[in-house]
Amino acid sequence: MEYGCRVEDGMRWLYVYLVRRLLAVLWIATFLIGITVYSLSKYNNAVDHEIQLNFENLLHRLQEDVRRTQMLLKDRVRECYLSNNLPKFLTNDSKELALPLPTVVDFLPHLYTVPNNALRPALIYPNNFSRMTKTDLVIGIPTVARRNHSYLIPTLQSVIGGIASSEIKMVSIIVLISDGKGSNSSFVKYQCTSLQSEFPHELNSGLLTVIVPPSEWYPDLYSVTPTFNDSPERMYWRTKQNLDYIYLMLYSQQRGEYYLQLEDDVLAKAGYVSRIRKFIDGRASDDWLMLEFSSLGFIGKLFRTSDLTLLLQFIAMFHKQKPVDWLLDLLFINRYCNPGNSTKHCAETVKQHRIRHRPSLFQHMGVHSSLAGKIQKLRERDFGKAQFYIPHRDNPPAKITTTLKTYMLFDIENAYTGSNYYWAFAPVAQDYILFDFYSAIALIGIVIRTGNPEHQDDILSESAEVLLRKVNEDSFISIARFNERGTVRVDFTESIRVNSLKIEIHEGSSNWLIINEMHIIVE
């Protein structure tokens, strides 16, 4: 029988076992006596009233015994957990625990009765690999299933695309896929497959890591006592969201110097890493607890990883009572404000420790919330114009021709040179884009992504394909088709000498076409 901590003392566990059995007996007795009292009440005329009162008193005493036994059992389980999972601060005679230290698990008591591996991710993807070398910045992004919408891949395209090549080794991105069914759910499997298809290099290099909490991490979220007249669905959603934040912070705490909290439906400014670094360096002497790079919710909030213990414990204390953005406000008020001073004075004091960067470096782009049925159109006013493309300015020189009809000034040449994205009217069958290189190239890879966060349907379908023409050959050969998300990515084990590349469209579409990234990778 597994009780959630390694057994060191057989007598202790025998005690716990017997207490559990006693608890079961008491519940059965309570049930039987309740039935008896009910039966007696049905025949009240035939039974002395004093006998009925005696039964009711006995029932009340048994109920009190059940409650006391439950508390005793909880204390014993906690004692076992502490004895096996925490350092022991002993008294002078080295026999008793002098200080019963509280832990975050005290606020998540269901963890006392589950196996220790509930604190380990059920899945670390890819292949249980995670970059263990500390980086300057750890970016945490939780994601959950939404009805008919997903913003995760556009978010990661923007977040990864906004990192300069010289900054890649400074950053780790941790995506937490949250599903109450654990790592074997269809949602988790689909997301991992999609991410592997879209970001193979980022996953294999350790820049991007995916984790999935085990199902045991979550208690029975349907039985959470409602607060603020919230519906059971909303209570489930915001309580689970708080637990996701806690898990993500716990995992990220040892992996970097700073932790940046994002959501799965945001856009990032190009060069945001260097801007964050500069803002931190400019406040080295300030007593800040949090730097804000977005004013919305829990987006763009940066902490020292050494301060995450305070934050996640505060969230854990009240994870069933309030949503995380409220708790964040309360943390600053409780830590820095004098109750005797005015609200205005408190706000000014908090600003010294909660410092806002302007303009915002992250924009909320989601409309459909992860809470089913909730529409949320919040936007940053000072974010400016969003960059809906990933620029590559090292593409080899080429003459580009196309049968597609370009929309306004969003032409293919600017997209190829990394100045903008390409936008065309709805393609028809037999349309193409042809790249004739001015001199032969040694091709080692291709990345072409279509659509963008605002126009997720403006993509090339799976019927579209990429072809190449090798040096000294007349005909094109097909090398890949676009996937269901409108992306094609090809990596060659050896370089290929190529004169031309071609994108062929075999089926028409009612949607327009956007190409937000084109990268022809050469030796």
Side-chain angles (χ1 to χ4, degrees), residues 9-57:
D9 185 348
M11 291 303 295
R12 178 187 293 115
W13 283 111
L14 177 60
Y15 179 86
V16 171
Y17 176 81
L18 292 175
V19 170
R20 285 182 180 274
R21 289 294 174 265
L22 175 61
L23 187 61
V25 170
L26 289 174
W27 274 115
I28 293 171
T30 301
F31 174 76
L32 292 176
I33 291 176
I35 291 294
T36 303
V37 171
Y38 174 77
S39 300
L40 289 173
S41 66
K42 297 288 288 184
Y43 301 98
N44 194 44
N45 294 333
V47 179
D48 186 83
H49 183 64
E50 183 177 352
I51 296 176
Q52 184 175 345
L53 288 177
N54 289 336
F55 270 111
E56 290 176 350
N57 291 335

Side-chain angles (χ1 to χ4, degrees), residues 11 27 143 213 256 350 411 427:
M11 291 303 295
W27 274 115
T143 187
V350 166
D411 58 79

Side-chain angles (χ1 to χ4, degrees), residues 281-331:
D281 292 342
R283 277 144 189 83
S285 60
D286 293 342
D287 182 23
W288 59 269
L289 177 62
M290 181 180 76
L291 302 181
E292 287 192 272
F293 298 92
S294 170
S295 66
L296 300 176
F298 208 27
I299 297 171
K301 307 299 189 273
L302 183 132
F303 307 87
R304 299 179 183 90
T305 52
S306 58
D307 289 329
L308 286 182
T309 299
L310 169 67
L311 177 61
L312 64 88
Q313 284 188 338
F314 194 80
I315 297 173
M317 286 173 64
F318 304 104
H319 72 281
K320 294 181 180 180
Q321 281 72 40
K322 293 186 177 182
V324 69
D325 48 343
W326 292 13
L327 294 177
L328 191 61
D329 292 338
L330 286 173
L331 174 60

Side-chain angles (χ1 to χ4, degrees), residues 188-376:
V188 170
K189 292 177 180 178
Y190 174 78
Q191 289 287 28
C192 288
T193 301
S194 299
L195 293 174
Q196 181 62 49
S197 174
E198 295 288 332
F199 307 104
H201 291 293
E202 292 80 3
L203 285 164
N204 293 333
S205 69
L207 169 64
L208 177 62
T209 300
V210 177
I211 64 171
V212 180
S215 57
E216 293 86 356
W217 171 251
Y218 304 99
D220 179 10
L221 297 173
Y222 291 102
S223 63
V224 177
T225 303
T227 57
F228 312 111
N229 295 319
D230 278 354
S231 66
E233 292 77 17
R234 187 176 180 85
M235 289 301 303
Y236 176 98
W237 170 73
R238 63 176 173 85
T239 304
K240 182 173 177 292
Q241 187 180 63
N242 283 341
L243 292 170
D244 291 340
Y245 288 132
I246 294 169
Y247 200 93
L248 187 52
M249 290 178 194
L250 285 169
Y251 184 84
S252 303
Q253 196 169 20
Q254 303 300 320
R255 286 170 167 77
E257 185 177 0
Y258 298 98
Y259 175 79
L260 177 67
Q261 181 68 58
L262 294 181
E263 297 295 343
D264 65 350
D265 56 353
V266 301
L267 296 172
K269 281 275 191 187
Y272 68 90
V273 174
S274 58
R275 296 191 190 190
I276 288 174
R277 183 77 255 184
K278 183 178 180 181
F279 196 66
I280 293 172
D281 292 342
R283 277 144 189 83
S285 60
D286 293 342
D287 182 23
W288 59 269
L289 177 62
M290 181 180 76
L291 302 181
E292 287 192 272
F293 298 92
S294 170
S295 66
L296 300 176
F298 208 27
I299 297 171
K301 307 299 189 273
L302 183 132
F303 307 87
R304 299 179 183 90
T305 52
S306 58
D307 289 329
L308 286 182
T309 299
L310 169 67
L311 177 61
L312 64 88
Q313 284 188 338
F314 194 80
I315 297 173
M317 286 173 64
F318 304 104
H319 72 281
K320 294 181 180 180
Q321 281 72 40
K322 293 186 177 182
V324 69
D325 48 343
W326 292 13
L327 294 177
L328 191 61
D329 292 338
L330 286 173
L331 174 60
F332 281 91
I333 293 171
N334 291 335
R335 180 166 184 172
Y336 296 111
C337 291
N338 185 334
N341 292 333
S342 66
T343 302
K344 182 178 179 181
H345 185 275
C346 176
E348 291 300 320
T349 302
V350 166
K351 284 182 181 179
Q352 300 173 26
H353 309 280
R354 179 177 183 167
I355 303 175
R356 174 88 156 87
H357 177 278
R358 297 182 186 277
S360 298
L361 299 184
F362 303 96
Q363 175 67 285
H364 178 254
M365 66 170 173
V367 175
H368 299 272
S369 171
S370 54
L371 176 61
K374 181 181 178 183
I375 302 298
Q376 191 160 278

